Amino acid sequence: MRDPVRVAILISGRGSNMRALVEQASAYEVALVASNKPQAAGLKWAGEHGLETWALESTAVGRQEFDRRLSGVLEERDIGTIALAGFMQILSPGFVDEWSGRIVNIHPSLLPKYRGLDTHARAIEAGDSVSGCSVHLVTAELDAGEVLGQAEVPIEPGDTQASLEQRVLAAEHKLYAEVLSDFVNR
Ligand code: GRF
């Protein structure tokens, strides 16, 4: 069995959760940061901080081929756990099956509420008094796998999508490292 402590983080953009995971890594080792977007800002930060990086523009090769090549890279590096952190591409069923039970994701809502996108706008629109974030196992169904941990964030009167996003993001940065540390050792 591959070593669960060896973590690959998958990103598509700024990578603030990736950065938080790197900065709080003690129970796990960030062995690779990978992306489907070679220009992702987070990739640059990872490279500058001595982490191994791998990127391939997924639109150039297609999703299936991207996943196939990514899987090869993860196997070569003996990766045991995959942490999605703002990875904006749905993984193919074959990939999810191959890595079943070994992929986690951070989502900016209290799942099962608000799967998918625009979670903050939807929570405000619904008049909710509390939002938050969830770390969950990735399965073939979007944002529907077992919830491993959650943090609540109150919605204040006058909150905008941007202000709520900012406070939830701060909670994400703390929650993800805690849950991942437990997960790799469970
Ligand atoms: C976060 O809100 C995360 O919950 C969601 O995508 C966003 C990624 O932000 N899955 P960052 O790239 O980690 O800064």
Side-chain angles (χ1 to χ4, degrees):
M1 187 184 148
R2 297 176 198 129
D3 186 354
V5 164
R6 286 181 61 77
V7 172
I9 305 177
L10 269 54
I11 64 169
S12 298
R14 68 186 164 189
S16 73
N17 276 287
M18 176 272 298
R19 187 171 166 162
L21 288 178
V22 169
E23 288 171 346
Q24 296 169 78
S26 56
Y28 54 84
E29 177 197 351
V30 179
L32 181 71
V33 176
S35 183
N36 63 331
K37 295 286 157 203
Q39 302 309 320
L43 215 49
K44 186 164 178 279
W45 183 91
E48 285 168 1
H49 288 77
L51 294 158
E52 189 180 354
T53 61
W54 177 87
L56 175 65
E57 174 57 62
S58 50
T59 53
V61 295
R63 189 166 68 111
Q64 301 280 351
E65 178 63 10
F66 175 88
D67 287 358
R68 201 184 63 74
R69 292 207 211 168
L70 174 63
S71 224
V73 169
L74 298 175
E75 278 163 23
E76 267 169 32
R77 308 293 192 286
D78 193 31
I79 298 297
T81 303
I82 301 169
L84 309 186
F87 184 67
M88 301 305 285
Q89 176 169 294
I90 294 176
L91 293 163
S92 53
F95 184 96
V96 174
D97 197 41
E98 185 186 346
W99 292 89
S100 173
R102 303 298 340 152
I103 314 173
V104 297
N105 181 41
I106 181 110
H107 183 77
S109 79
L110 294 174
L111 291 171
K113 270 192 153 178
Y114 312 127
R115 293 171 180 164
L117 299 174
D118 298 326
T119 56
H120 306 302
R122 287 153 74 197
I124 292 169
E125 173 72 14
D128 293 356
S129 59
V130 63
S131 185
C133 48
S134 308
V135 177
H136 65 94
L137 274 178
V138 172
T139 59
E141 195 182 341
L142 185 68
D143 300 329
E146 179 193 347
V147 172
L148 303 169
Q150 292 185 312
E152 292 191 354
V153 175
I155 300 180
E156 313 286 359
D159 250 338
T160 61
Q161 191 177 329
S163 64
L164 181 59
E165 179 184 352
Q166 197 178 19
R167 290 204 314 285
V168 172
L169 197 59
E172 291 179 35
H173 295 163
K174 191 163 173 286
L175 178 75
Y176 208 176
E178 286 169 4
V179 174
L180 186 61
S181 299
D182 289 346
F183 179 73
V184 299
N185 290 299
R186 80 175 188 176

